[in-house]
Amino acid sequence: MKVLGIVSEARDLNQFASFIKCIPATQSISKHIKGYSFGELKEAKLVSLGRMEVLGIVSEARELSQAHTAPVMDHSPPFLATYKSLFDGQQAIDTDTEVVECCDLPLIDLSRLNDVLEAAQCKQDIVTAASEWGFFQIVSHGIPDGLLARLREEQVQMFRQPFKQKTSEKLLDFDDDSYRWGTPTATSLKHLSWSEAYHIPLSSSNKPATSSTIRCVIEELSLAMTQLANQLVDTLAEGLGRDGTYMKENCTRNMCYLRLNRYPPCPIPAQVFGLVPHTDSDFLTILCQDEVIGLQLKKGGRWFTVRPNPNTLVINIGDLFQAWSNGLYKSVEHRVMSNPHLERFSVAYFMCPSNETVIESSAQPGTYRKFSFGEYRQQVQQDVRRMGHKVGLTRLRHHFHLCSPAPLPTPFFFLLQTKKSLFLHMAASPVTAVWNARTSHASFYLPPVGLQVDERESPTVPQPSTAAPDTTAFYAQDSGEEASTTQLAADRMIQPRDAIYAADDVVDQLRYKALQEQIEQMIRAALQGVARTS
Ligand SMILES: O=C(O)CCC(=O)C(=O)O
Ligand SMILES: [Fe+2]
């Protein structure tokens, strides 16, 4: 992590130069840095310096520029004091043992779209990146660098206000609650984000504008972002053989959001994320990050650190696009690691439709049932409140249609027991039950009916296989024996994110209301079994 930090810091001398410019000319930093004069630094004649030297200078400059812009007041939120009970006696987020490699996102030059010879390949590259990575970075995107730089300047100033002011004062005439910090719903460290943000609905930018710079910058940027997002939607929709008009018409600028993030340095980086792992609930996100390392994404079951490149914009597919594309484009889990020394800034533009917009998969039968954005958003909020984290698209999967060609097969139930939780598994037959447990597709977490389970305890899970199931082989191997499911309970774990359902939702959703009693009986019997053996 440290080494990556150094490399990434040293990559961007321009950014460094802009730090230096924040320092008043009268201030000398040369004494701190081995004889380089301030003038030399201001000119950013740094190319000949070694990376370590540059890093040293960067942090000196950062400290000085921060000290200069925020001499006395404390602008960072009181994380340690507020979340003290979570830090006392709780486990770290436990990412230390993971080997996290650095990766470069697929880089796409959007100017190729205007070249008759290149356009088709460029579109294909976008479609491939969205399908294989869910993330890519773009250049020649049409958003002026100067505009992004102005926004960053305004963003830094906004966060440099005293904390009290940020929480008590309305940001211009944006919504009251646009300033957020930490995670009010967190009941454990792994759900806490060590960051603060202004979450700005762009609908509010239509209100009578003050002539403040930030308002003008947001206005201008949101227009440019909308244009860019629409261009990407067109290309991605074309890749599905669909027309992007419906999405573009529903994701008008005033439905979208701009989120200004700041990740303050964190004294306990091993214990807390900068931003907890999540997928974005929108259609598409455009992210502008600075040079400080932190963003990570999950690919093939492993976490990768995204090498920051402040000269590109990062695009990621959101849940709605995954559903709309019937799973072809991936809404990939990502997170931001906290950093002990450096603060980090980013801006995210979330392309969202109106609440009434219905999302319907491109292929029928779809992997996901039809849903409205409003309904999805509400469900996400409810899950976060109840369980501390989002369940997401898993809730909308048509499990049964996936598992069996029969429209409403006789369900087959069995239980999976982990150390602290009990899972009910439903499938069309013992055979598909075996398949499901192996591919982790159709498992339902069961909090109600008197179970004393810790809702937040997730089993440790091996990565599920995404390979197509060989049901014939499973059938031959397990041949529908009862034993196979019992054996599953002992050693087959399931993907917690995919597994978390409330039983009543499942029953409602899948029209198995009549089976409620049977399910409850099974659980009681299983619990008695557990009690006898423990
Ligand atoms: O700051 C970043 O790099 C990522 C931000 C993000 O994922 C979000 O705001 O949803
Ligand atoms: Fe995100």
Side-chain angles (χ1 to χ4, degrees):
M1 192 70 198
K2 262 202 173 111
V3 173
L4 297 175
I6 290 167
V7 174
S8 102
E9 282 290 286
R11 288 177 92 230
D12 193 358
L13 298 178
N14 288 336
Q15 186 72 25
F16 169 59
S18 68
F19 269 119
I20 298 285
K21 284 187 194 125
C22 298
I23 304 169
T26 49
Q27 182 119 34
S28 163
I29 58 170
S30 57
K31 65 177 181 337
H32 299 275
I33 47 167
K34 296 186 273 174
Y36 291 99
S37 76
F38 180 73
E40 270 175 317
L41 292 171
K42 196 142 183 153
E43 291 300 304
K45 286 180 186 162
L46 299 162
V47 212
S48 60
L49 299 186
R51 288 194 185 289
M52 294 299 285
E53 284 173 298
V54 173
L55 179 81
I57 299 169
V58 167
S59 43
E60 289 283 351
R62 223 180 250 265
E63 270 166 36
L64 282 168
S65 68
Q66 283 174 14
H68 170 62
T69 44
V72 271
M73 55 222 180
D74 189 6
H75 50 259
S76 283
F79 289 101
L80 285 175
T82 308
Y83 292 99
K84 189 167 182 309
S85 62
L86 299 188
F87 291 108
D88 291 345
Q90 280 221 28
Q91 280 188 340
I93 48 177
D94 196 21
T95 51
D96 278 359
T97 48
E98 291 174 27
V99 180
V100 179
E101 283 169 45
C102 212
C103 71
D104 288 298
L105 295 177
L107 176 66
I108 293 166
D109 180 345
L110 289 191
S111 66
R112 290 164 62 213
L113 288 174
N114 306 323
D115 180 330
V116 257
L117 297 175
E118 289 277 338
Q121 188 55 50
C122 181
K123 285 180 184 174
Q124 187 52 50
D125 291 348
I126 292 174
V127 166
T128 306
S131 320
E132 291 178 3
W133 286 76
F135 265 82
F136 51 97
Q137 51 181 337
I138 52 173
V139 288
S140 309
H141 40 64
I143 315 259
D145 289 346
L147 183 58
L148 292 169
R150 271 159 60 210
L151 179 68
R152 182 55 47 81
E153 258 173 51
E154 294 295 325
Q155 179 183 12
V156 171
Q157 271 189 28
M158 276 159 68
F159 284 115
R160 288 280 179 274
Q161 295 177 95
F163 173 67
K164 278 218 172 97
Q165 204 162 316
K166 287 187 279 193
T167 49
S168 60
E169 273 180 19
K170 203 163 146 169
L171 170 72
L172 307 168
D173 43 357
F174 293 121
D175 277 8
D176 283 348
D177 63 348
S178 59
Y179 177 70
R180 290 148 192 213
W181 69 280
T183 313
T185 50
T187 51
S188 89
L189 274 190
K190 63 179 181 228
H191 297 138
L192 173 63
S193 295
W194 189 280
S195 48
E196 53 181 338
Y198 282 99
H199 193 80
I200 303 168
L202 291 172
S203 52
S204 60
S205 69
N206 296 336
K207 287 183 193 163
T210 60
S211 55
S212 71
T213 325
I214 178 79
R215 260 209 173 277
C216 299
V217 173
I218 289 178
E219 182 80 9
E220 204 178 320
L221 185 85
S222 66
L223 282 169
M225 288 284 196
T226 308
Q227 239 176 355
L228 172 60
N230 284 346
Q231 184 184 24
L232 293 166
V233 165
D234 276 337
T235 305
L236 288 162
E238 199 183 312
L240 300 168
R242 289 185 86 168
D243 177 7
T245 311
Y246 175 72
M247 271 309 147
K248 286 190 299 181
E249 279 176 1
N250 285 287
C251 298
T252 49
R253 182 169 67 113
N254 60 349
M255 293 298 148
C256 299
Y257 292 83
L258 199 65
R259 190 178 160 96
L260 311 179
N261 294 310
R262 174 177 177 258
Y263 303 88
C266 172
I268 43 167
Q271 290 183 48
V272 62
F273 292 112
L275 187 59
V276 295
H278 67 283
T279 57
D280 292 348
S281 300
D282 60 349
F283 208 63
L284 182 115
T285 306
I286 305 176
L287 181 79
C288 172
Q289 53 169 339
D290 69 8
E291 78 291 357
V292 178
I293 213 151
L295 177 63
Q296 295 189 337
L297 61 83
K298 209 170 192 183
K299 188 173 189 312
R302 289 167 56 207
W303 285 102
F304 288 86
T305 297
V306 174
R307 203 189 312 278
N309 182 346
N311 302 316
T312 65
L313 291 175
V314 171
I315 307 298
N316 68 284
I317 298 294
D319 296 343
L320 302 188
F321 222 145
Q322 173 165 325
W324 200 63
S325 68
N326 202 31
L328 178 68
Y329 301 145
K330 306 289 183 308
S331 176
V332 164
E333 206 179 346
H334 54 286
R335 66 189 185 190
V336 176
M337 303 309 282
S338 50
N339 188 309
H341 307 297
L342 302 172
E343 67 179 341
R344 178 174 183 275
F345 292 97
S346 70
V347 175
Y349 171 89
F350 297 104
M351 186 190 198
C352 297
S354 62
N355 278 340
E356 302 71 47
T357 307
V358 172
I359 314 293
E360 197 165 6
S361 290
S362 54
Q364 294 303 329
T367 305
Y368 309 98
R369 71 171 172 82
K370 214 159 90 168
F371 61 97
S372 76
F373 180 51
E375 176 194 350
Y376 186 59
R377 187 182 241 173
Q378 235 177 12
Q379 184 66 62
V380 167
Q381 284 165 359
Q382 186 186 319
D383 286 336
V384 169
R385 264 198 317 273
R386 276 198 196 162
M387 294 186 278
H389 63 88
K390 166 177 163 180
V391 177
L393 279 184
T394 312
R395 283 202 175 278
L396 304 168
R397 266 177 180 276
H398 277 311
H399 293 273
F400 281 82
H401 294 170
L402 271 183
C403 300
S404 160
L408 265 180
T410 311
F412 178 87
F413 300 94
F414 64 94
L415 287 157
L416 284 182
Q417 192 201 333
T418 66
K419 268 197 204 123
K420 287 225 178 155
S421 308
L422 197 59
F423 293 86
L424 173 68
H425 204 89
M426 302 167 83
S429 71
V431 177
T432 48
V434 173
W435 163 31
N436 291 333
R438 291 185 185 194
T439 57
S440 308
H441 274 317
S443 308
F444 308 109
Y445 181 62
L446 270 183
V449 285
L451 280 186
Q452 293 302 311
V453 289
D454 177 359
E455 283 198 15
R456 289 179 179 83
E457 179 67 24
S458 309
T460 7
V461 212
Q463 194 51 32
S465 153
T466 47
D470 181 353
T471 41
T472 326
F474 288 160
Y475 191 81
Q477 192 185 326
D478 299 315
S479 58
E481 289 164 16
E482 288 283 283
S484 63
T485 53
T486 327
Q487 166 205 331
L488 280 172
D491 60 6
R492 302 265 184 266
M493 297 291 130
I494 44 183
Q495 181 77 354
R497 274 190 173 266
D498 279 2
I500 297 173
Y501 266 81
D504 46 350
D505 287 354
V506 174
V507 169
D508 268 356
Q509 212 169 297
L510 301 173
R511 288 176 280 150
Y512 284 118
K513 193 102 201 152
L515 297 171
Q516 179 94 43
E517 204 170 303
Q518 188 188 331
I519 296 170
E520 289 183 15
Q521 269 172 13
M522 277 185 64
I523 293 164
R524 276 190 218 105
L527 278 178
Q528 278 162 10
V530 172
R532 270 200 303 276
T533 52
S534 58

